[in-house]
Amino acid sequence: MLQQFYPQVPHTFRFELNKDMHLAAAHFINDEHAGACQYTHGHTYFINVTIAGDELDSTGFLINFKDIKTLIHKRYDHSLLNEHPEYKDVNPTTEVVAKQIWETVQTHLNTLTNNPTCLQVLVRETPTSYVVYRPKPEDLK
Ligand SMILES: [Zn+2]
């Protein structure tokens, strides 16, 4: 998946987990500068989430792969992104979607006792266009 392209994040954690997902969703960019993208259209989004940490939970997971899919795929698959509350006041551009996915994943990780961290979110919107979002150290407090 992702055309076998996985950008690496330098880190010193013991474990690194990557989850690939793809989902079908529509969006529009509410700005005349967006050209044809201001009209509702669809994409097959390819998403890769990188999570790392030093400790596993009592099951032996850094995080259950299924929980990541539930958080992201279940929320956005076959939906109009603009209708989600998090995109009420901001356009669901690839950049914004990547940042929002990071926030959703990290908010969930913050509830886990083994303290994993989401180091990177990659969102590929088309075969030729993708965005990588990486948090700043101060975002992880
Ligand atoms: Zn688009």
Side-chain angles (χ1 to χ4, degrees):
M1 208 183 279
L2 288 173
Q3 283 104 13
Q4 304 300 316
F5 170 71
Y6 295 89
Q8 299 295 305
V9 196
H11 65 78
T12 58
F13 292 107
R14 291 190 185 99
F15 298 99
E16 178 185 315
L17 170 160
N18 282 268
K19 175 64 177 168
D20 287 331
M21 289 167 278
H22 62 103
L23 57 89
H27 76 159
F28 61 88
I29 307 304
N30 192 17
D31 189 316
E32 64 184 19
H33 296 112
C37 293
Q38 65 189 299
Y39 308 109
T40 304
H41 60 283
H43 295 286
T44 300
Y45 288 89
F46 285 82
I47 297 160
N48 173 268
V49 176
T50 303
I51 294 170
D54 289 322
E55 307 298 333
L56 305 180
D57 66 16
S58 58
T59 313
F61 288 146
L62 189 60
I63 180 178
N64 191 332
F65 287 112
K66 184 170 160 283
D67 292 347
I68 308 168
K69 187 172 180 185
T70 301
L71 278 172
I72 304 304
H73 187 274
K74 194 173 178 189
R75 181 177 184 84
Y76 292 128
D77 189 42
H78 286 75
S79 73
L80 175 58
L81 297 180
N82 302 68
E83 290 181 341
H84 291 269
E86 59 270 35
Y87 303 119
K88 185 170 159 280
D89 299 318
V90 61
N91 282 313
T93 60
T94 320
E95 295 89 331
V96 171
V97 169
K99 179 173 185 283
Q100 184 60 48
I101 289 172
W102 178 81
E103 285 177 3
T104 301
V105 171
Q106 188 60 50
T107 299
H108 175 70
L109 297 180
N110 289 343
T111 68
L112 304 179
T113 54
N114 61 319
N115 242 347
T117 301
C118 185
L119 295 178
Q120 175 174 278
V121 173
L122 185 150
V123 177
R124 180 177 285 282
E125 195 175 82
T126 74
T128 58
S129 306
Y130 69 89
V131 165
V132 174
Y133 181 84
R134 295 187 184 119
K136 294 283 205 185
E138 57 265 33
D139 300 330
L140 295 168
K141 285 175 186 144

